[in-house]
Amino acid sequence: MLSYTGRRLLQLIPVLIGMSVIVFSIIRAIPGDPALTILGERATPEAVQELRLQLGLDKPLITQYATYVGHVVTGDLGVSLRTKKPISEELVPYLTATIELTVVSILIAVVVGVNAGIIAAWKKASWFDYIAMLVALIGVSMPIFWLGLMEQWVFAEKLGWLPSTGRINPREPIEAITGFYLLDTILQGNWQGFWDVFQHLILPGIALGTIPMAIIARMTRSSMLEVMKSDYVRTARAKGLSEFWVVYKHALKNAFAPVMTVIGLQTGTLLGGAVLTETIFGWPGIGRYIYDAISFRDYPVIQSGILVVSALFVLINLVVDLLYAWLDPRIQYK
């Protein structure tokens, strides 16, 4: 297991190098001059040229890339062209906000999706099965931006139950310890703040988790139906075990391996694809951070942001692969 983990971690290196090359090449192909974007349309050509020299934009692309990689290897993600601040400092609060939202979204998706899929398979061809699969089909087909806007209109504007935007109430700031506000409020014993953060997470969490929830429900149902035909499940029933115990203890564990793959892929997708949700709900996450950087041609921020998200995506899939051994001992790591 240790050697397998080590090899998978080493595989991160070519993946990240490849991602950095692709991102570096693509953003250089975007029309527009970052120096002109920073200084504005009224800037003189001399001022634009001077800023280009300061930023190193006059050097060959290969030199710019080598300089960037050299800094990343030492942990230096560079300085934002727009704010002049170190990216490693700017990135952390945005990244923690996105991770917190992603964790809540995937928890909603897993808890609801897995249980809906199990019950749909358990009660095959029942009214619950038909309704659950219909809702899952609608969930997969529903655009996130439309669902988010409907949530805001119904639960924030009409009913007034939940806040429509933001991460916290700006009148009640929270002291950041880890950057994960739910955890920070617990550590501080600030239960009013915890409830405020929790309320702000509900609507974007549901909007972001709806599509993964639908996919997980359908995958769980299919996998459970296949496993429920197995001999060991029939044997467990023949021993007189309760149906609940047979389903959740014996069938679910073996049916969960393909579901775990979907969960891992969906978690990575949520990390990098939360831009729409973050924009609709005014969520200060890394998606909006990168989106704003693209608008200002802030090359270092775009490169570093995508590189960090890519690294997290690969790490999540590594964790999923390692969990296979716990779910299915027949899997051998070589």
Side-chain angles (χ1 to χ4, degrees):
M1 175 72 79
L2 285 176
S3 62
Y4 176 79
T5 306
R7 288 199 304 273
R8 288 297 305 271
L9 287 173
L10 287 176
Q11 289 175 3
L12 273 174
I13 297 173
V15 171
L16 293 179
I17 291 175
M19 283 300 303
S20 66
V21 170
I22 293 172
V23 173
F24 184 88
S25 304
I26 290 177
I27 63 175
R28 257 60 181 186
I30 298 175
D33 187 337
L36 186 60
T37 304
I38 295 170
L39 294 176
E41 295 292 338
R42 296 182 179 179
T44 62
E46 293 76 15
V48 173
Q49 182 60 24
E50 184 179 348
L51 184 58
R52 286 179 57 81
L53 293 174
Q54 291 178 7
L55 299 176
L57 298 174
D58 60 313
K59 298 177 181 175
L61 289 180
I62 187 67
T63 305
Q64 293 182 42
Y65 177 74
T67 304
Y68 171 70
V69 171
H71 289 160
V72 169
V73 169
T74 60
D76 179 9
L77 296 178
V79 177
S80 168
L81 299 181
R82 181 165 57 99
T83 64
K84 309 296 183 187
K85 294 180 180 178
I87 296 171
S88 55
E89 294 180 8
E90 281 192 336
L91 195 64
V92 172
Y94 291 104
L95 186 61
T96 51
T98 293
I99 291 176
E100 188 170 54
L101 176 60
T102 301
V103 169
V104 170
S105 301
I106 205 67
L107 280 177
I108 293 172
V110 170
V111 172
V112 178
V114 168
N115 283 290
I118 291 172
I119 298 173
W122 186 1
K123 307 292 183 184
K124 182 184 176 185
S126 66
W127 63 268
F128 182 90
D129 184 20
Y130 293 131
I131 292 176
M133 291 303 102
L134 177 62
V135 172
L137 181 61
I138 295 172
V140 171
S141 311
M142 192 178 299
I144 292 180
F145 71 88
W146 184 85
L147 177 61
L149 292 174
M150 287 300 102
E151 285 182 347
Q152 287 179 324
W153 180 62
V154 174
F155 296 103
E157 185 177 336
K158 292 297 180 183
L159 299 176
W161 289 353
L162 296 166
S164 60
T165 60
R167 195 180 177 193
I168 57 171
N169 185 344
R171 296 178 180 176
E172 298 175 2
I174 293 173
E175 182 184 353
I177 300 175
T178 64
F180 301 102
Y181 284 173
L182 282 178
L183 180 60
D184 290 346
T185 51
I186 292 174
L187 293 174
Q188 296 166 11
N190 181 4
W191 301 113
Q192 184 177 350
F194 177 85
W195 178 240
D196 178 50
V197 175
F198 182 73
Q199 285 184 309
H200 280 83
L201 277 165
I202 292 176
L203 293 185
I206 292 175
L208 194 59
T210 296
I211 292 179
M213 179 172 61
I215 296 173
I216 290 169
R218 295 180 69 86
M219 176 59 74
T220 304
R221 179 182 181 276
S222 302
S223 186
M224 285 293 292
L225 286 175
E226 189 65 30
V227 171
M228 296 280 273
K229 300 174 186 174
S230 303
D231 291 338
Y232 69 88
V233 173
R234 284 195 288 269
T235 303
R237 283 175 174 150
K239 288 180 179 177
L241 297 176
S242 68
E243 191 66 16
F244 180 86
W245 192 255
V246 170
V247 170
Y248 277 88
K249 172 65 177 176
H250 292 275
L252 178 60
K253 186 173 180 180
N254 289 326
F256 205 67
V259 179
M260 181 64 76
T261 304
V262 173
I263 292 173
L265 291 173
Q266 289 298 314
T267 305
T269 304
L270 291 182
L271 269 175
V275 180
L276 268 179
T277 307
E278 292 176 357
T279 303
I280 293 170
F281 289 96
W283 193 264
I286 195 168
R288 286 192 61 194
Y289 183 55
I290 296 175
Y291 175 80
D292 291 341
I294 293 173
S295 303
F296 285 94
R297 307 290 190 272
D298 199 339
Y299 293 163
V301 170
I302 301 171
Q303 292 168 169
S304 301
I306 295 177
L307 199 62
V308 169
V309 172
S310 303
L312 286 174
F313 184 88
V314 178
L315 284 173
I316 289 169
N317 281 280
L318 171 62
V319 172
V320 170
D321 285 348
L322 296 178
L323 285 175
Y324 281 163
W326 176 72
L327 290 170
D328 190 349
R330 294 171 298 179
I331 296 176
Q332 298 292 322
Y333 292 107
K334 295 180 180 179

